[in-house]
Amino acid sequence: MRILKTFISIALCLSLATFAQAQAQSKTQTQLQAQTQTQAQTQTQSQPQSESERDERTGRLLDAVGLYTEGQIASAAERFRALREEDPTDDAVMYYLGLCESYLGNMDKAEENLLGAHLADTANEWYVSALTSFYATTRNSAMMAHYGEKLLKMNPGMYNTPYLNTLVADLKLSQGKDSIAVQYYDRALELDPSFESAVLGKMAA
């Protein structure tokens, strides 16, 4: 049983990076730009700026997002940093700057910005997804489980997959929370009775 639990733990480390990659690839350029425009308009409406200033800032933000989606991460990061310096409370800017910093390997700055965006808008699913992916990339299993569970509760239609349920279950199992782990394994197996990782995990619980 101990050997099986060890195997589950090793498999989890390998799958965390896969989860992060899948999450990063799940957003198209059109989705990114549409969300950013909505966030930028909401954010700037609350600021004591003229209409022209709001439009100018929104345009700069969308330009930065365009650079990001084109893969020009360093250039995008420079623009997002300038935007954040002007307004440290803009959660859309923090979100995209966090993604850029993560891509550039500046993990402390990435975490700071992604957490800042989430704290500014805890109901934003994109921010929770970004944090889940970030902690998967950095292999922080406890935090990945925390935000992965939030995703499952926020949007089960999108995230209630055998894969994510099993990841959270594996993490719970590694933390000694066997009964909670079994609940997640059961959810995974309800979706796919042959999902091998869940089958093995439940045997170890």
Side-chain angles (χ1 to χ4, degrees), residues 26-67:
S26 67
K27 300 177 176 64
T28 65
Q29 180 173 345
T30 301
Q31 290 173 315
L32 286 167
Q33 291 180 328
Q35 186 214 20
T36 301
Q37 188 166 18
T38 300
Q39 289 174 320
Q41 290 172 345
T42 301
Q43 180 70 26
T44 54
Q45 285 170 0
S46 66
Q47 302 297 323
Q49 299 174 314
S50 68
E51 182 176 351
S52 61
E53 288 174 328
R54 289 196 301 269
D55 290 344
E56 187 268 343
R57 179 176 174 83
T58 299
R60 290 165 57 206
L61 176 54
L62 291 173
D63 286 344
V65 172
L67 289 172

Side-chain angles (χ1 to χ4, degrees), residues 116-133:
H118 173 60
L119 291 174
D121 184 0
T122 57
N124 190 304
E125 180 186 322
W126 289 60
Y127 299 168
V128 177
S129 178
L131 282 166
T132 305
S133 297

Side-chain angles (χ1 to χ4, degrees), residues 135-147:
Y135 288 120
T137 299
T138 58
R139 299 191 178 185
N140 185 330
S141 59
M143 295 301 290
M144 186 268 178
H146 175 70
Y147 289 105

